[in-house]
Amino acid sequence: MHALVIGGGVAGPATAVALRSIGVDVTICEARPREDGDAGLWVMVAPNGLAALDALGLKQAALRASLVGAVGPSGFAPIRRAGLYGLLREAAVARGARIEHGRKLVDADTTAEGADRVVARFSDGSSLSGDLLIGSDGIHSRTRSVIDPAAPTARYVPLLNLGGFARAVDAPGEPAQLRFVRSRKGFFGYTTSGRREVWWFANLPWGAEPSRRELAAMGRDMLTDRLLDTFAEAPSFVADVIRATHTDLYALPTHDLPTVPTWRRGSMVLVGDAAHATTPTSGQGSSMALEDAVILAKCLRDLPGPRALAHYEQLRRRRVEAVVELGARASAAKVNGAVPHGSLDWVHDYRVDWASPA
């Protein structure tokens, strides 16, 4: 079997690693023409995500790439997003997958030989064929609309996400512990290495969705001034962290996908944010993608193609849609000041048993 994996973020390379473990030939098709060594901010990989990495044989590598080289007090590991991308891609290639850059999907269809073969067509006029096409191309997935032209698009959540990395500044808290500061105008979260290094994010209520042009016009000085005003009443270390940030501020609007009615068609299927994007507030985007990768590979290992894809969806849909709803409630709480209640054990305690039959 040859699988075409569309997208090289978290879900795509993780799926490639899982598929290589069951002997599937894999080509990852990444739209970006080259590696971006400083892409994005950072993620807190949750205990369930670390368990999925363990099933892939990558937990220790992920911890080595994390902020402090170990899990934090709550069992989470803060990792730069670019670092997580890198270790997953390196593992995929080391296990025999191929990565082809500049492959931006525009369409896909079944071949004349039958619905068990699929051809992916790219923006440069090239094409590739395989037995399976896996859409791991994120919240704005092209694969999703290829599978279902009536598929929903991302929903805007009225929050602007910002964040960065600061050095030579002190912030309270144990190393790798996620801490929060709430103000009347916004929400600030951070973690620290214990060596005067701070990784942080901020959520600012933002009524209308900013366009790309508006985002591009938000220069560093403007954003810094807005952040300092937002957190003027917060403890003084918050302003120190903002001023000490040595990277771009990565301002992005918040989106989610409450539900995607159609995950699969023929030999095509969705994983990760393409199927179930949650807001960053849930802390589960990367962990859900990692779970998808392991479970899809299990299903393909143990069941014939169409049944495997159907069973994968059956196993995943209820859980991931509940996590998306959780993220939506938590994001709303940042806007209206409410405090969400309820245990998250059902999210964090989830484990994929690779050895058991699908």
Side-chain angles (χ1 to χ4, degrees), residues 161-188:
N161 287 305
L162 301 99
F165 304 91
R167 298 194 189 109
V169 63
D170 294 312
E174 296 180 60
Q177 180 184 28
L178 187 59
R179 292 174 66 92
F180 305 106
V181 177
R182 184 189 294 273
S183 82
R184 291 183 297 108
K185 298 180 181 179
F187 191 92
F188 186 88

mmCIF file with all atom_site columns, all heavy atoms in Angstrom, residues 161-188:
data_model
loop_
_atom_site.group_PDB
_atom_site.id
_atom_site.type_symbol
_atom_site.label_atom_id
_atom_site.label_alt_id
_atom_site.label_comp_id
_atom_site.label_asym_id
_atom_site.label_entity_id
_atom_site.label_seq_id
_atom_site.pdbx_PDB_ins_code
_atom_site.Cartn_x
_atom_site.Cartn_y
_atom_site.Cartn_z
_atom_site.occupancy
_atom_site.B_iso_or_equiv
_atom_site.pdbx_formal_charge
_atom_site.auth_seq_id
_atom_site.auth_comp_id
_atom_site.auth_asym_id
_atom_site.auth_atom_id
_atom_site.pdbx_PDB_model_num
ATOM 1   N N   . ASN A 1 161 ? -4.743  35.567 19.085 1.00 0.00 ? 161 ASN A N   1
ATOM 2   C CA  . ASN A 1 161 ? -3.657  34.871 19.786 1.00 0.00 ? 161 ASN A CA  1
ATOM 3   C C   . ASN A 1 161 ? -2.331  35.562 19.493 1.00 0.00 ? 161 ASN A C   1
ATOM 4   O O   . ASN A 1 161 ? -2.018  35.824 18.329 1.00 0.00 ? 161 ASN A O   1
ATOM 5   C CB  . ASN A 1 161 ? -3.549  33.419 19.296 1.00 0.00 ? 161 ASN A CB  1
ATOM 6   C CG  . ASN A 1 161 ? -4.676  32.572 19.809 1.00 0.00 ? 161 ASN A CG  1
ATOM 7   O OD1 . ASN A 1 161 ? -4.908  32.487 21.005 1.00 0.00 ? 161 ASN A OD1 1
ATOM 8   N ND2 . ASN A 1 161 ? -5.393  31.939 18.896 1.00 0.00 ? 161 ASN A ND2 1
ATOM 9   N N   . LEU A 1 162 ? -1.564  35.817 20.530 1.00 0.00 ? 162 LEU A N   1
ATOM 10  C CA  . LEU A 1 162 ? -0.212  36.336 20.373 1.00 0.00 ? 162 LEU A CA  1
ATOM 11  C C   . LEU A 1 162 ? 0.699   35.565 21.310 1.00 0.00 ? 162 LEU A C   1
ATOM 12  O O   . LEU A 1 162 ? 0.240   34.916 22.256 1.00 0.00 ? 162 LEU A O   1
ATOM 13  C CB  . LEU A 1 162 ? -0.139  37.827 20.718 1.00 0.00 ? 162 LEU A CB  1
ATOM 14  C CG  . LEU A 1 162 ? -1.011  38.774 19.905 1.00 0.00 ? 162 LEU A CG  1
ATOM 15  C CD1 . LEU A 1 162 ? -2.268  39.112 20.669 1.00 0.00 ? 162 LEU A CD1 1
ATOM 16  C CD2 . LEU A 1 162 ? -0.241  40.045 19.580 1.00 0.00 ? 162 LEU A CD2 1
ATOM 17  N N   . GLY A 1 163 ? 1.983   35.665 21.075 1.00 0.00 ? 163 GLY A N   1
ATOM 18  C CA  . GLY A 1 163 ? 2.913   35.012 21.983 1.00 0.00 ? 163 GLY A CA  1
ATOM 19  C C   . GLY A 1 163 ? 4.326   35.118 21.479 1.00 0.00 ? 163 GLY A C   1
ATOM 20  O O   . GLY A 1 163 ? 4.586   35.655 20.398 1.00 0.00 ? 163 GLY A O   1
ATOM 21  N N   . GLY A 1 164 ? 5.245   34.597 22.277 1.00 0.00 ? 164 GLY A N   1
ATOM 22  C CA  . GLY A 1 164 ? 6.642   34.643 21.890 1.00 0.00 ? 164 GLY A CA  1
ATOM 23  C C   . GLY A 1 164 ? 7.524   33.996 22.928 1.00 0.00 ? 164 GLY A C   1
ATOM 24  O O   . GLY A 1 164 ? 7.056   33.294 23.839 1.00 0.00 ? 164 GLY A O   1
ATOM 25  N N   . PHE A 1 165 ? 8.813   34.263 22.806 1.00 0.00 ? 165 PHE A N   1
ATOM 26  C CA  . PHE A 1 165 ? 9.825   33.663 23.667 1.00 0.00 ? 165 PHE A CA  1
ATOM 27  C C   . PHE A 1 165 ? 10.688  34.789 24.236 1.00 0.00 ? 165 PHE A C   1
ATOM 28  O O   . PHE A 1 165 ? 11.164  35.652 23.489 1.00 0.00 ? 165 PHE A O   1
ATOM 29  C CB  . PHE A 1 165 ? 10.700  32.697 22.866 1.00 0.00 ? 165 PHE A CB  1
ATOM 30  C CG  . PHE A 1 165 ? 9.909   31.626 22.157 1.00 0.00 ? 165 PHE A CG  1
ATOM 31  C CD1 . PHE A 1 165 ? 9.460   31.828 20.857 1.00 0.00 ? 165 PHE A CD1 1
ATOM 32  C CD2 . PHE A 1 165 ? 9.614   30.429 22.792 1.00 0.00 ? 165 PHE A CD2 1
ATOM 33  C CE1 . PHE A 1 165 ? 8.735   30.843 20.195 1.00 0.00 ? 165 PHE A CE1 1
ATOM 34  C CE2 . PHE A 1 165 ? 8.878   29.447 22.131 1.00 0.00 ? 165 PHE A CE2 1
ATOM 35  C CZ  . PHE A 1 165 ? 8.442   29.651 20.846 1.00 0.00 ? 165 PHE A CZ  1
ATOM 36  N N   . ALA A 1 166 ? 10.880  34.776 25.542 1.00 0.00 ? 166 ALA A N   1
ATOM 37  C CA  . ALA A 1 166 ? 11.652  35.824 26.211 1.00 0.00 ? 166 ALA A CA  1
ATOM 38  C C   . ALA A 1 166 ? 12.819  35.217 26.977 1.00 0.00 ? 166 ALA A C   1
ATOM 39  O O   . ALA A 1 166 ? 12.719  34.098 27.501 1.00 0.00 ? 166 ALA A O   1
ATOM 40  C CB  . ALA A 1 166 ? 10.753  36.619 27.157 1.00 0.00 ? 166 ALA A CB  1
ATOM 41  N N   . ARG A 1 167 ? 13.904  35.961 27.042 1.00 0.00 ? 167 ARG A N   1
ATOM 42  C CA  . ARG A 1 167 ? 15.081  35.524 27.794 1.00 0.00 ? 167 ARG A CA  1
ATOM 43  C C   . ARG A 1 167 ? 15.457  36.588 28.828 1.00 0.00 ? 167 ARG A C   1
ATOM 44  O O   . ARG A 1 167 ? 15.061  37.745 28.728 1.00 0.00 ? 167 ARG A O   1
ATOM 45  C CB  . ARG A 1 167 ? 16.283  35.317 26.866 1.00 0.00 ? 167 ARG A CB  1
ATOM 46  C CG  . ARG A 1 167 ? 16.119  34.257 25.809 1.00 0.00 ? 167 ARG A CG  1
ATOM 47  C CD  . ARG A 1 167 ? 17.495  33.930 25.197 1.00 0.00 ? 167 ARG A CD  1
ATOM 48  N NE  . ARG A 1 167 ? 17.361  33.078 24.027 1.00 0.00 ? 167 ARG A NE  1
ATOM 49  C CZ  . ARG A 1 167 ? 17.575  33.481 22.781 1.00 0.00 ? 167 ARG A CZ  1
ATOM 50  N NH1 . ARG A 1 167 ? 17.912  34.747 22.560 1.00 0.00 ? 167 ARG A NH1 1
ATOM 51  N NH2 . ARG A 1 167 ? 17.457  32.654 21.770 1.00 0.00 ? 167 ARG A NH2 1
ATOM 52  N N   . ALA A 1 168 ? 16.252  36.138 29.817 1.00 0.00 ? 168 ALA A N   1
ATOM 53  C CA  . ALA A 1 168 ? 16.800  37.038 30.841 1.00 0.00 ? 168 ALA A CA  1
ATOM 54  C C   . ALA A 1 168 ? 15.697  37.788 31.579 1.00 0.00 ? 168 ALA A C   1
ATOM 55  O O   . ALA A 1 168 ? 15.779  39.003 31.815 1.00 0.00 ? 168 ALA A O   1
ATOM 56  C CB  . ALA A 1 168 ? 17.799  38.004 30.214 1.00 0.00 ? 168 ALA A CB  1
ATOM 57  N N   . VAL A 1 169 ? 14.646  37.068 31.924 1.00 0.00 ? 169 VAL A N   1
ATOM 58  C CA  . VAL A 1 169 ? 13.541  37.668 32.667 1.00 0.00 ? 169 VAL A CA  1
ATOM 59  C C   . VAL A 1 169 ? 13.018  36.632 33.657 1.00 0.00 ? 169 VAL A C   1
ATOM 60  O O   . VAL A 1 169 ? 13.036  35.424 33.381 1.00 0.00 ? 169 VAL A O   1
ATOM 61  C CB  . VAL A 1 169 ? 12.438  38.143 31.699 1.00 0.00 ? 169 VAL A CB  1
ATOM 62  C CG1 . VAL A 1 169 ? 11.839  36.966 30.935 1.00 0.00 ? 169 VAL A CG1 1
ATOM 63  C CG2 . VAL A 1 169 ? 11.354  38.912 32.422 1.00 0.00 ? 169 VAL A CG2 1
ATOM 64  N N   . ASP A 1 170 ? 12.580  37.097 34.806 1.00 0.00 ? 170 ASP A N   1
ATOM 65  C CA  . ASP A 1 170 ? 12.091  36.204 35.857 1.00 0.00 ? 170 ASP A CA  1
ATOM 66  C C   . ASP A 1 170 ? 10.573  36.175 35.861 1.00 0.00 ? 170 ASP A C   1
ATOM 67  O O   . ASP A 1 170 ? 9.915   37.206 35.706 1.00 0.00 ? 170 ASP A O   1
ATOM 68  C CB  . ASP A 1 170 ? 12.583  36.677 37.232 1.00 0.00 ? 170 ASP A CB  1
ATOM 69  C CG  . ASP A 1 170 ? 14.089  36.561 37.379 1.00 0.00 ? 170 ASP A CG  1
ATOM 70  O OD1 . ASP A 1 170 ? 14.621  35.486 37.046 1.00 0.00 ? 170 ASP A OD1 1
ATOM 71  O OD2 . ASP A 1 170 ? 14.719  37.550 37.802 1.00 0.00 ? 170 ASP A OD2 1
ATOM 72  N N   . ALA A 1 171 ? 10.020  34.980 36.041 1.00 0.00 ? 171 ALA A N   1
ATOM 73  C CA  . ALA A 1 171 ? 8.584   34.796 36.185 1.00 0.00 ? 171 ALA A CA  1
ATOM 74  C C   . ALA A 1 171 ? 8.354   33.684 37.205 1.00 0.00 ? 171 ALA A C   1
ATOM 75  O O   . ALA A 1 171 ? 9.095   32.698 37.218 1.00 0.00 ? 171 ALA A O   1
ATOM 76  C CB  . ALA A 1 171 ? 7.948   34.439 34.844 1.00 0.00 ? 171 ALA A CB  1
ATOM 77  N N   . PRO A 1 172 ? 7.369   33.822 38.072 1.00 0.00 ? 172 PRO A N   1
ATOM 78  C CA  . PRO A 1 172 ? 7.141   32.810 39.109 1.00 0.00 ? 172 PRO A CA  1
ATOM 79  C C   . PRO A 1 172 ? 6.625   31.502 38.526 1.00 0.00 ? 172 PRO A C   1
ATOM 80  O O   . PRO A 1 172 ? 6.034   31.468 37.442 1.00 0.00 ? 172 PRO A O   1
ATOM 81  C CB  . PRO A 1 172 ? 6.097   33.457 40.013 1.00 0.00 ? 172 PRO A CB  1
ATOM 82  C CG  . PRO A 1 172 ? 5.393   34.456 39.143 1.00 0.00 ? 172 PRO A CG  1
ATOM 83  C CD  . PRO A 1 172 ? 6.425   34.942 38.178 1.00 0.00 ? 172 PRO A CD  1
ATOM 84  N N   . GLY A 1 173 ? 6.863   30.418 39.253 1.00 0.00 ? 173 GLY A N   1
ATOM 85  C CA  . GLY A 1 173 ? 6.350   29.113 38.844 1.00 0.00 ? 173 GLY A CA  1
ATOM 86  C C   . GLY A 1 173 ? 7.437   28.083 38.667 1.00 0.00 ? 173 GLY A C   1
ATOM 87  O O   . GLY A 1 173 ? 8.596   28.423 38.400 1.00 0.00 ? 173 GLY A O   1
ATOM 88  N N   . GLU A 1 174 ? 7.051   26.816 38.846 1.00 0.00 ? 174 GLU A N   1
ATOM 89  C CA  . GLU A 1 174 ? 8.000   25.726 38.636 1.00 0.00 ? 174 GLU A CA  1
ATOM 90  C C   . GLU A 1 174 ? 8.315   25.570 37.153 1.00 0.00 ? 174 GLU A C   1
ATOM 91  O O   . GLU A 1 174 ? 7.497   25.907 36.296 1.00 0.00 ? 174 GLU A O   1
ATOM 92  C CB  . GLU A 1 174 ? 7.415   24.411 39.156 1.00 0.00 ? 174 GLU A CB  1
ATOM 93  C CG  . GLU A 1 174 ? 7.158   24.367 40.651 1.00 0.00 ? 174 GLU A CG  1
ATOM 94  C CD  . GLU A 1 174 ? 6.580   23.023 41.053 1.00 0.00 ? 174 GLU A CD  1
ATOM 95  O OE1 . GLU A 1 174 ? 7.252   22.001 40.819 1.00 0.00 ? 174 GLU A OE1 1
ATOM 96  O OE2 . GLU A 1 174 ? 5.454   23.001 41.580 1.00 0.00 ? 174 GLU A OE2 1
ATOM 97  N N   . PRO A 1 175 ? 9.489   25.051 36.828 1.00 0.00 ? 175 PRO A N   1
ATOM 98  C CA  . PRO A 1 175 ? 9.824   24.805 35.422 1.00 0.00 ? 175 PRO A CA  1
ATOM 99  C C   . PRO A 1 175 ? 8.777   23.911 34.742 1.00 0.00 ? 175 PRO A C   1
ATOM 100 O O   . PRO A 1 175 ? 8.310   22.931 35.328 1.00 0.00 ? 175 PRO A O   1
ATOM 101 C CB  . PRO A 1 175 ? 11.180  24.106 35.499 1.00 0.00 ? 175 PRO A CB  1
ATOM 102 C CG  . PRO A 1 175 ? 11.784  24.613 36.758 1.00 0.00 ? 175 PRO A CG  1
ATOM 103 C CD  . PRO A 1 175 ? 10.633  24.761 37.717 1.00 0.00 ? 175 PRO A CD  1
ATOM 104 N N   . ALA A 1 176 ? 8.415   24.284 33.518 1.00 0.00 ? 176 ALA A N   1
ATOM 105 C CA  . ALA A 1 176 ? 7.457   23.541 32.683 1.00 0.00 ? 176 ALA A CA  1
ATOM 106 C C   . ALA A 1 176 ? 6.051   23.519 33.267 1.00 0.00 ? 176 ALA A C   1
ATOM 107 O O   . ALA A 1 176 ? 5.215   22.740 32.820 1.00 0.00 ? 176 ALA A O   1
ATOM 108 C CB  . ALA A 1 176 ? 7.935   22.122 32.410 1.00 0.00 ? 176 ALA A CB  1
ATOM 109 N N   . GLN A 1 177 ? 5.767   24.373 34.232 1.00 0.00 ? 177 GLN A N   1
ATOM 110 C CA  . GLN A 1 177 ? 4.410   24.490 34.760 1.00 0.00 ? 177 GLN A CA  1
ATOM 111 C C   . GLN A 1 177 ? 3.674   25.572 33.979 1.00 0.00 ? 177 GLN A C   1
ATOM 112 O O   . GLN A 1 177 ? 4.211   26.662 33.751 1.00 0.00 ? 177 GLN A O   1
ATOM 113 C CB  . GLN A 1 177 ? 4.436   24.868 36.241 1.00 0.00 ? 177 GLN A CB  1
ATOM 114 C CG  . GLN A 1 177 ? 3.053   25.011 36.882 1.00 0.00 ? 177 GLN A CG  1
ATOM 115 C CD  . GLN A 1 177 ? 3.134   25.476 38.318 1.00 0.00 ? 177 GLN A CD  1
ATOM 116 O OE1 . GLN A 1 177 ? 4.084   26.167 38.702 1.00 0.00 ? 177 GLN A OE1 1
ATOM 117 N NE2 . GLN A 1 177 ? 2.176   25.100 39.135 1.00 0.00 ? 177 GLN A NE2 1
ATOM 118 N N   . LEU A 1 178 ? 2.458   25.291 33.542 1.00 0.00 ? 178 LEU A N   1
ATOM 119 C CA  . LEU A 1 178 ? 1.652   26.276 32.827 1.00 0.00 ? 178 LEU A CA  1
ATOM 120 C C   . LEU A 1 178 ? 0.907   27.126 33.847 1.00 0.00 ? 178 LEU A C   1
ATOM 121 O O   . LEU A 1 178 ? 0.175   26.597 34.687 1.00 0.00 ? 178 LEU A O   1
ATOM 122 C CB  . LEU A 1 178 ? 0.669   25.584 31.878 1.00 0.00 ? 178 LEU A CB  1
ATOM 123 C CG  . LEU A 1 178 ? -0.134  26.489 30.941 1.00 0.00 ? 178 LEU A CG  1
ATOM 124 C CD1 . LEU A 1 178 ? 0.790   27.303 30.035 1.00 0.00 ? 178 LEU A CD1 1
ATOM 125 C CD2 . LEU A 1 178 ? -1.107  25.662 30.105 1.00 0.00 ? 178 LEU A CD2 1
ATOM 126 N N   . ARG A 1 179 ? 1.109   28.435 33.780 1.00 0.00 ? 179 ARG A N   1
ATOM 127 C CA  . ARG A 1 179 ? 0.481   29.358 34.720 1.00 0.00 ? 179 ARG A CA  1
ATOM 128 C C   . ARG A 1 179 ? -0.275  30.432 33.934 1.00 0.00 ? 179 ARG A C   1
ATOM 129 O O   . ARG A 1 179 ? 0.039   30.722 32.769 1.00 0.00 ? 179 ARG A O   1
ATOM 130 C CB  . ARG A 1 179 ? 1.516   29.985 35.635 1.00 0.00 ? 179 ARG A CB  1
ATOM 131 C CG  . ARG A 1 179 ? 2.146   28.977 36.591 1.00 0.00 ? 179 ARG A CG  1
ATOM 132 C CD  . ARG A 1 179 ? 3.281   29.601 37.385 1.00 0.00 ? 179 ARG A CD  1
ATOM 133 N NE  . ARG A 1 179 ? 2.820   30.633 38.291 1.00 0.00 ? 179 ARG A NE  1
ATOM 134 C CZ  . ARG A 1 179 ? 2.477   30.435 39.563 1.00 0.00 ? 179 ARG A CZ  1
ATOM 135 N NH1 . ARG A 1 179 ? 2.528   29.209 40.079 1.00 0.00 ? 179 ARG A NH1 1
ATOM 136 N NH2 . ARG A 1 179 ? 2.083   31.429 40.328 1.00 0.00 ? 179 ARG A NH2 1
ATOM 137 N N   . PHE A 1 180 ? -1.261  31.041 34.597 1.00 0.00 ? 180 PHE A N   1
ATOM 138 C CA  . PHE A 1 180 ? -2.140  31.991 33.928 1.00 0.00 ? 180 PHE A CA  1
ATOM 139 C C   . PHE A 1 180 ? -2.268  33.272 34.730 1.00 0.00 ? 180 PHE A C   1
ATOM 140 O O   . PHE A 1 180 ? -2.220  33.262 35.958 1.00 0.00 ? 180 PHE A O   1
ATOM 141 C CB  . PHE A 1 180 ? -3.539  31.396 33.724 1.00 0.00 ? 180 PHE A CB  1
ATOM 142 C CG  . PHE A 1 180 ? -3.541  30.083 32.990 1.00 0.00 ? 180 PHE A CG  1
ATOM 143 C CD1 . PHE A 1 180 ? -3.767  28.896 33.661 1.00 0.00 ? 180 PHE A CD1 1
ATOM 144 C CD2 . PHE A 1 180 ? -3.290  30.033 31.630 1.00 0.00 ? 180 PHE A CD2 1
ATOM 145 C CE1 . PHE A 1 180 ? -3.764  27.690 32.999 1.00 0.00 ? 180 PHE A CE1 1
ATOM 146 C CE2 . PHE A 1 180 ? -3.283  28.817 30.952 1.00 0.00 ? 180 PHE A CE2 1
ATOM 147 C CZ  . PHE A 1 180 ? -3.515  27.651 31.638 1.00 0.00 ? 180 PHE A CZ  1
ATOM 148 N N   . VAL A 1 181 ? -2.471  34.368 34.004 1.00 0.00 ? 181 VAL A N   1
ATOM 149 C CA  . VAL A 1 181 ? -2.778  35.667 34.586 1.00 0.00 ? 181 VAL A CA  1
ATOM 150 C C   . VAL A 1 181 ? -3.972  36.221 33.821 1.00 0.00 ? 181 VAL A C   1
ATOM 151 O O   . VAL A 1 181 ? -3.914  36.384 32.600 1.00 0.00 ? 181 VAL A O   1
ATOM 152 C CB  . VAL A 1 181 ? -1.587  36.646 34.477 1.00 0.00 ? 181 VAL A CB  1
ATOM 153 C CG1 . VAL A 1 181 ? -1.982  38.019 35.027 1.00 0.00 ? 181 VAL A CG1 1
ATOM 154 C CG2 . VAL A 1 181 ? -0.362  36.106 35.198 1.00 0.00 ? 181 VAL A CG2 1
ATOM 155 N N   . ARG A 1 182 ? -5.053  36.484 34.512 1.00 0.00 ? 182 ARG A N   1
ATOM 156 C CA  . ARG A 1 182 ? -6.257  37.020 33.875 1.00 0.00 ? 182 ARG A CA  1
ATOM 157 C C   . ARG A 1 182 ? -6.374  38.512 34.188 1.00 0.00 ? 182 ARG A C   1
ATOM 158 O O   . ARG A 1 182 ? -6.173  38.928 35.329 1.00 0.00 ? 182 ARG A O   1
ATOM 159 C CB  . ARG A 1 182 ? -7.499  36.284 34.390 1.00 0.00 ? 182 ARG A CB  1
ATOM 160 C CG  . ARG A 1 182 ? -8.797  36.720 33.709 1.00 0.00 ? 182 ARG A CG  1
ATOM 161 C CD  . ARG A 1 182 ? -9.998  36.118 34.414 1.00 0.00 ? 182 ARG A CD  1
ATOM 162 N NE  . ARG A 1 182 ? -10.021 34.681 34.276 1.00 0.00 ? 182 ARG A NE  1
ATOM 163 C CZ  . ARG A 1 182 ? -10.581 34.032 33.257 1.00 0.00 ? 182 ARG A CZ  1
ATOM 164 N NH1 . ARG A 1 182 ? -11.141 34.717 32.278 1.00 0.00 ? 182 ARG A NH1 1
ATOM 165 N NH2 . ARG A 1 182 ? -10.589 32.724 33.218 1.00 0.00 ? 182 ARG A NH2 1
ATOM 166 N N   . SER A 1 183 ? -6.666  39.289 33.165 1.00 0.00 ? 183 SER A N   1
ATOM 167 C CA  . SER A 1 183 ? -6.950  40.702 33.383 1.00 0.00 ? 183 SER A CA  1
ATOM 168 C C   . SER A 1 183 ? -8.341  41.011 32.839 1.00 0.00 ? 183 SER A C   1
ATOM 169 O O   . SER A 1 183 ? -8.977  40.167 32.210 1.00 0.00 ? 183 SER A O   1
ATOM 170 C CB  . SER A 1 183 ? -5.902  41.572 32.686 1.00 0.00 ? 183 SER A CB  1
ATOM 171 O OG  . SER A 1 183 ? -6.210  41.727 31.313 1.00 0.00 ? 183 SER A OG  1
ATOM 172 N N   . ARG A 1 184 ? -8.787  42.235 33.058 1.00 0.00 ? 184 ARG A N   1
ATOM 173 C CA  . ARG A 1 184 ? -10.113 42.616 32.563 1.00 0.00 ? 184 ARG A CA  1
ATOM 174 C C   . ARG A 1 184 ? -10.144 42.662 31.037 1.00 0.00 ? 184 ARG A C   1
ATOM 175 O O   . ARG A 1 184 ? -11.199 42.559 30.427 1.00 0.00 ? 184 ARG A O   1
ATOM 176 C CB  . ARG A 1 184 ? -10.502 43.994 33.124 1.00 0.00 ? 184 ARG A CB  1
ATOM 177 C CG  . ARG A 1 184 ? -10.771 44.005 34.609 1.00 0.00 ? 184 ARG A CG  1
ATOM 178 C CD  . ARG A 1 184 ? -11.218 45.382 35.088 1.00 0.00 ? 184 ARG A CD  1
ATOM 179 N NE  . ARG A 1 184 ? -10.188 46.396 34.897 1.00 0.00 ? 184 ARG A NE  1
ATOM 180 C CZ  . ARG A 1 184 ? -10.244 47.358 33.981 1.00 0.00 ? 184 ARG A CZ  1
ATOM 181 N NH1 . ARG A 1 184 ? -11.273 47.433 33.158 1.00 0.00 ? 184 ARG A NH1 1
ATOM 182 N NH2 . ARG A 1 184 ? -9.273  48.243 33.881 1.00 0.00 ? 184 ARG A NH2 1
ATOM 183 N N   . LYS A 1 185 ? -8.984  42.819 30.413 1.00 0.00 ? 185 LYS A N   1
ATOM 184 C CA  . LYS A 1 185 ? -8.933  43.005 28.967 1.00 0.00 ? 185 LYS A CA  1
ATOM 185 C C   . LYS A 1 185 ? -8.342  41.821 28.205 1.00 0.00 ? 185 LYS A C   1
ATOM 186 O O   . LYS A 1 185 ? -8.305  41.845 26.967 1.00 0.00 ? 185 LYS A O   1
ATOM 187 C CB  . LYS A 1 185 ? -8.104  44.245 28.635 1.00 0.00 ? 185 LYS A CB  1
ATOM 188 C CG  . LYS A 1 185 ? -8.654  45.544 29.189 1.00 0.00 ? 185 LYS A CG  1
ATOM 189 C CD  . LYS A 1 185 ? -7.733  46.703 28.792 1.00 0.00 ? 185 LYS A CD  1
ATOM 190 C CE  . LYS A 1 185 ? -8.211  48.019 29.345 1.00 0.00 ? 185 LYS A CE  1
ATOM 191 N NZ  . LYS A 1 185 ? -7.276  49.126 28.965 1.00 0.00 ? 185 LYS A NZ  1
ATOM 192 N N   . GLY A 1 186 ? -7.848  40.809 28.900 1.00 0.00 ? 186 GLY A N   1
ATOM 193 C CA  . GLY A 1 186 ? -7.212  39.710 28.180 1.00 0.00 ? 186 GLY A CA  1
ATOM 194 C C   . GLY A 1 186 ? -6.739  38.618 29.110 1.00 0.00 ? 186 GLY A C   1
ATOM 195 O O   . GLY A 1 186 ? -6.962  38.660 30.329 1.00 0.00 ? 186 GLY A O   1
ATOM 196 N N   . PHE A 1 187 ? -6.077  37.633 28.522 1.00 0.00 ? 187 PHE A N   1
ATOM 197 C CA  . PHE A 1 187 ? -5.683  36.419 29.237 1.00 0.00 ? 187 PHE A CA  1
ATOM 198 C C   . PHE A 1 187 ? -4.237  36.120 28.868 1.00 0.00 ? 187 PHE A C   1
ATOM 199 O O   . PHE A 1 187 ? -3.885  36.087 27.683 1.00 0.00 ? 187 PHE A O   1
ATOM 200 C CB  . PHE A 1 187 ? -6.604  35.266 28.811 1.00 0.00 ? 187 PHE A CB  1
ATOM 201 C CG  . PHE A 1 187 ? -6.485  34.028 29.630 1.00 0.00 ? 187 PHE A CG  1
ATOM 202 C CD1 . PHE A 1 187 ? -7.292  33.820 30.735 1.00 0.00 ? 187 PHE A CD1 1
ATOM 203 C CD2 . PHE A 1 187 ? -5.561  33.037 29.293 1.00 0.00 ? 187 PHE A CD2 1
ATOM 204 C CE1 . PHE A 1 187 ? -7.194  32.662 31.476 1.00 0.00 ? 187 PHE A CE1 1
ATOM 205 C CE2 . PHE A 1 187 ? -5.454  31.886 30.027 1.00 0.00 ? 187 PHE A CE2 1
ATOM 206 C CZ  . PHE A 1 187 ? -6.277  31.700 31.132 1.00 0.00 ? 187 PHE A CZ  1
ATOM 207 N N   . PHE A 1 188 ? -3.388  35.899 29.865 1.00 0.00 ? 188 PHE A N   1
ATOM 208 C CA  . PHE A 1 188 ? -1.953  35.670 29.656 1.00 0.00 ? 188 PHE A CA  1
ATOM 209 C C   . PHE A 1 188 ? -1.573  34.315 30.246 1.00 0.00 ? 188 PHE A C   1
ATOM 210 O O   . PHE A 1 188 ? -1.942  33.999 31.376 1.00 0.00 ? 188 PHE A O   1
ATOM 211 C CB  . PHE A 1 188 ? -1.168  36.785 30.356 1.00 0.00 ? 188 PHE A CB  1
ATOM 212 C CG  . PHE A 1 188 ? 0.319   36.774 30.107 1.00 0.00 ? 188 PHE A CG  1
ATOM 213 C CD1 . PHE A 1 188 ? 0.861   37.444 29.026 1.00 0.00 ? 188 PHE A CD1 1
ATOM 214 C CD2 . PHE A 1 188 ? 1.182   36.096 30.957 1.00 0.00 ? 188 PHE A CD2 1
ATOM 215 C CE1 . PHE A 1 188 ? 2.230   37.458 28.797 1.00 0.00 ? 188 PHE A CE1 1
ATOM 216 C CE2 . PHE A 1 188 ? 2.553   36.100 30.740 1.00 0.00 ? 188 PHE A CE2 1
ATOM 217 C CZ  . PHE A 1 188 ? 3.077   36.783 29.653 1.00 0.00 ? 188 PHE A CZ  1
#
